[in-house]
C-alpha cells in the first residue's frame, strides 16, 4: 500500500466525519427551527404563542422515544442505510412543514422530524471509532458533536435571519433543501457500517484474516461492526450516568422553557423590531459557538466545574433579561453559557458509560427535556406572562449548578 493510498484513505475518513457533523447540525437546527420563527408561524396558522410552542415539544418527545427504539430495532442493519433513510425523512418533514396549510399538518411534519432526530443523533454520536483510527477518535467525536452544539446556538439565528427577509416558510424550505443535499453527500462519503452480527458459535480466526483486518484499519475501520455485548446494560446501572441524565433534564428543560419564547419576549418586552431580533439572536449564536469550543477544551479534563460555571452564567443572564431594556450583552452571556452545555454533558456521558444505548439514553433525556421545557414554558406564557418564564429558566439553572456542585468527585470525573 503506497503513501498516496493511505493519504487518500485518511482524507476520505475525515470527509465522512465532517459529513456526519453537518448531519448533526442539520437535524438539530431543524428541531430548533420554530424558536426564532414562533411569532410568525403562530400568526399564519392562527394559534397562540404558547400553542405554537408545541412544535418544539412534539419532536422532542418523539425523538426521546425514537432514539432507543431505532437503536434496538435496526441494530443488525447497516448504519449507513439507516442514516440515509433518516436524513431523507428529515427532508420530507421540513418540506411538509414549509407548505403546511394549517397547524395539524405542521404538527404531523414535526412528529416526522422527531423520528429523524432521535435515530440520527443516537447513531452519529458514536461513529468516531468506526470512521478513524484509534488515536483520532477523540478529535473525530468532538467534531461530530460540535455539529449539535453549533446548531443549538447558531442554527436558530440564521433561520431567523432568513425569515426576516423571505418569511418563515422559506426557512423551512432551506432546511429541506439542505437535508436533500446532505443526503447526497452522506451517500457519497459514508462507507458501509455493518450492524451487530447475529449470534453464532465462536470460531477461530485464521491468521490470514487477522492480517487482512490489520491492513484494513489503514483504509476503513467502519467495516468492523460495533462490539456492544458488554456495554448494553452497564450504562443503565452507572451511577455517574444517572447523575448526568438528571443534570441534562434540569438544565436543558430550564433553557428551553425560556429560550423557546425568546423572540416574543424581545418583541413584547424589549420592543425589538425584526432587524434587532435577528441581530440579537446572531450575537447569541456567535457567543454560543465560542462557548462550545472553550467548554469542550476545558471539560475534557473535568466536566464538573465547567457545568457549574455554565449553569451560573445561564442563571445570571436569564434572570437579568426582564430587568434590562435592550439585552444584547445579556443574551451573549446566555449564549456563552448554553453554548458549552451540550459538549460538556456529552463528555461527561462518555466518561460515565459507553455503547450506543448509553448515548441513546442521553439523546432521549435531552429531547424529553426540550419537550418538557418548551411545553411548560408555553403554559407559563399563556397563563402568567412572557417575563415569568425567564425566571423559571433561571431558577432551574440555579438548581442545576447546585446539583452538579454537590455531586461526588468520583461521579463527576469518571475516576
Amino acid at each position: 500500500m503506497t503513501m498516496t493510498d493511505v493519504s487518500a484513505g485518511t482524507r476520505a475518513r475525515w470527509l465522512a466525519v465532517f459529513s456526519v457533523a453537518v448531519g448533526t447540525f442539520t437535524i438539530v437546527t431543524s428541531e430548533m427551527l420554530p424558536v426564532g420563527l414562533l411569532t410568525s408561524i403562530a400568526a399564519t396558522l392562527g394559534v397562540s404563542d404558547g400553542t405554537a410552542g408545541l412544535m418544539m415539544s412534539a419532536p422532542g418527545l418523539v425523538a426521546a422515544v425514537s432514539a432507543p427504539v431505532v437503536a434496538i430495532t435496526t441494530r443488525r442493519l447497516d448504519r449507513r442505510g439507516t442514516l440515509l433513510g433518516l436524513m431523507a425523512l428529515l427532508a420530507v418533514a421540513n418540506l411538509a412543514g414549509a407548505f403546511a396549510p394549517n397547524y395539524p399538518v405542521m404538527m404531523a411534519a414535526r412528529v416526522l422530524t422527531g423520528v429523524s432526530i432521535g435515530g440520527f443523533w443516537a447513531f452519529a454520536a458514536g461513529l468516531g471509532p468506526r470512521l478513524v483510527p484509534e488515536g483520532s477518535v477523540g478529535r473525530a467525536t468532538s467534531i461530530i458533536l460540535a455539529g449539535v452544539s453549533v446548531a443549538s446556538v447558531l442554527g436558530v439565528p440564521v433561520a431567523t435571519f432568513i425569515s426576516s427577509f423571505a418569511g418563515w416558510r422559506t426557512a423551512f424550505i432551506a432546511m429541506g433543501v439542505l437535508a436533500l443535499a446532505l443526503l447526497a453527500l452522506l451517500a457519497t462519503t459514508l462507507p458501509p457500517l455493518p450492524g451487530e452480527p447475529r449470534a453464532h458459535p465462536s470460531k477461530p480466526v485464521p491468521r490470514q484474516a487477522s492480517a487482512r483486518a490489520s491492513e484494513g484499519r489503514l483504509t476503513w475501520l467502519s467495516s468492523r461492526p460495533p462490539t456492544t455485548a458488554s456495554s448494553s446494560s452497564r450504562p443503565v446501572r452507572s451511577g455517574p450516568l444517572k447523575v448526568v441524565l438528571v443534570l441534562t433534564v434540569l438544565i436543558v428543560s430550564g433553557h428551553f422553557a425560556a429560550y423557546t419564547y425568546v423572540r416574543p419576549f424581545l418583541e413584547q418586552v424589549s420592543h425589538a423590531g425584526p432587524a434587532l431580533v435577528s441581530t440579537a439572536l446572531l450575537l447569541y449564536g456567535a457567543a454560543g459557538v465560542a462557548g462550545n469550543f472553550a467548554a469542550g477544551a476545558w471539560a475534557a479534563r473535568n466536566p464538573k466545574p465547567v457545568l457549574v460555571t455554565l449553569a451560573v452564567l445561564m442563571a445570571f443572564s436569564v434572570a437579568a433579561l426582564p430587568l434590562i431594556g435592550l439585552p444584547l450583552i445579556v443574551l451573549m452571556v446566555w449564549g456563552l453559557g448554553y453554548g458549552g452545555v451540550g459538549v460538556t454533558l456529552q463528555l461527561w456521558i462518555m466518561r460515565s458509560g459507553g455503547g450506543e444505548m448509553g448515548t441513546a439514553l442521553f439523546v432521549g433525556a435531552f429531547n424529553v427535556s426540550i419537550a418538557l421545557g418548551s411545553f411548560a414554558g408555553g403554559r407559563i406564557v399563556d397563563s402568567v406572562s412572557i417575563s415569568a418564564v425567564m425566571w423559571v429558566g433561571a431558577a432551574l439553572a440555579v438548581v442545576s449548578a447546585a446539583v452538579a456542585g454537590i455531586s461526588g468527585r468520583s461521579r463527576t470525573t469518571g475516576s
Side-chain angles (χ1 to χ4, degrees):
M1 179 177 294
T2 66
M3 291 299 296
T4 302
D5 293 333
V6 173
S7 178
T10 300
R11 287 196 298 269
R13 287 194 291 271
W14 285 105
L15 181 57
V17 168
F18 281 106
S19 298
V20 175
V22 177
T24 58
F25 172 85
T26 303
I27 62 168
V28 177
T29 298
S30 296
E31 182 175 17
M32 304 294 113
L33 205 54
V35 171
L37 315 177
L38 199 67
T39 305
S40 301
I41 296 176
T44 301
L45 301 182
V47 296
S48 69
D49 289 343
T51 299
L54 294 175
M55 291 185 294
M56 288 291 294
S57 303
L61 288 174
V62 174
V65 175
S66 68
V69 169
V70 173
I72 292 172
T73 57
T74 66
R75 66 185 184 276
R76 301 193 191 282
L77 301 180
D78 190 301
R79 299 289 186 262
R80 180 178 182 274
T82 302
L83 291 171
L84 293 177
L86 291 168
M87 188 54 59
L89 179 63
L90 182 67
V92 170
N94 280 327
L95 293 175
F99 297 102
N102 52 50
Y103 189 65
V105 173
M106 172 61 81
M107 288 300 292
R110 297 298 290 167
V111 168
L112 294 180
T113 301
V115 175
S116 178
I117 291 166
F120 194 99
W121 188 3
F123 286 135
L127 284 183
R130 307 189 66 189
L131 294 177
V132 299
E134 184 176 352
S136 302
V137 167
R139 180 185 175 195
T141 302
S142 297
I143 292 172
I144 290 172
L145 296 178
V148 177
S149 299
V150 173
S152 300
V153 296
L154 193 58
V156 170
V158 171
T160 305
F161 182 77
I162 293 173
S163 70
S164 66
F165 290 96
W168 65 267
R169 294 186 186 275
T170 303
F172 272 86
I173 291 173
M175 291 309 303
V177 172
L178 176 59
L180 287 174
L182 184 58
L183 176 62
L185 180 63
L186 290 170
T188 302
T189 61
L190 280 181
L193 298 165
E196 296 178 17
R198 296 184 180 276
H200 56 79
S202 299
K203 296 181 180 180
V205 180
R207 185 180 302 273
Q208 294 84 352
S210 177
R212 286 195 299 270
S214 297
E215 182 179 357
R217 289 177 62 86
L218 296 176
T219 53
W220 284 110
L221 292 176
S222 53
S223 61
R224 174 170 46 86
T227 55
T228 58
S230 62
S231 63
S232 59
S233 60
R234 178 178 170 233
V236 180
R237 300 193 303 267
S238 170
L241 176 61
K242 293 176 183 177
V243 171
V244 183
L245 293 178
V246 169
L247 287 170
T248 299
V249 172
L250 288 172
I251 197 166
V252 176
S253 294
H255 171 76
F256 280 98
Y259 186 62
T260 301
Y261 305 95
V262 69
R263 178 165 182 168
F265 175 88
L266 292 173
E267 292 175 341
Q268 298 171 25
V269 178
S270 300
H271 306 293
L276 186 55
V277 169
S278 298
T279 301
L281 291 179
L282 282 171
L283 290 174
Y284 168 94
V289 172
N292 169 70
F293 290 105
W298 187 15
R301 295 187 295 270
N302 186 2
K304 173 181 175 177
V306 181
L307 192 67
V308 171
T309 302
L310 297 174
V312 169
L313 288 175
M314 291 173 62
F316 167 79
S317 55
V318 177
L321 274 175
L323 307 176
I324 299 178
L326 192 61
L328 293 180
I329 299 298
V330 175
L331 277 172
M332 292 179 68
V333 175
W334 186 359
L336 185 69
Y338 183 72
V341 165
V343 66
T344 301
L345 288 171
Q346 183 63 55
L347 287 169
W348 204 337
I349 284 287
M350 292 174 69
R351 297 170 70 98
S352 303
E356 287 183 345
M357 187 51 64
T359 300
L361 289 173
F362 171 60
V363 172
F366 201 103
N367 283 281
V368 163
S369 304
I370 293 173
L372 289 176
S374 58
F375 177 79
R379 307 288 70 75
I380 294 169
V381 167
D382 285 348
S383 61
V384 184
S385 70
I386 194 74
S387 295
V389 78
M390 299 298 164
W391 294 108
V392 172
L396 285 174
V398 170
V399 174
S400 301
V403 172
I406 65 177
S407 60
R409 179 174 177 80
S410 64
R411 288 175 175 266
T412 60
T413 65
S415 59

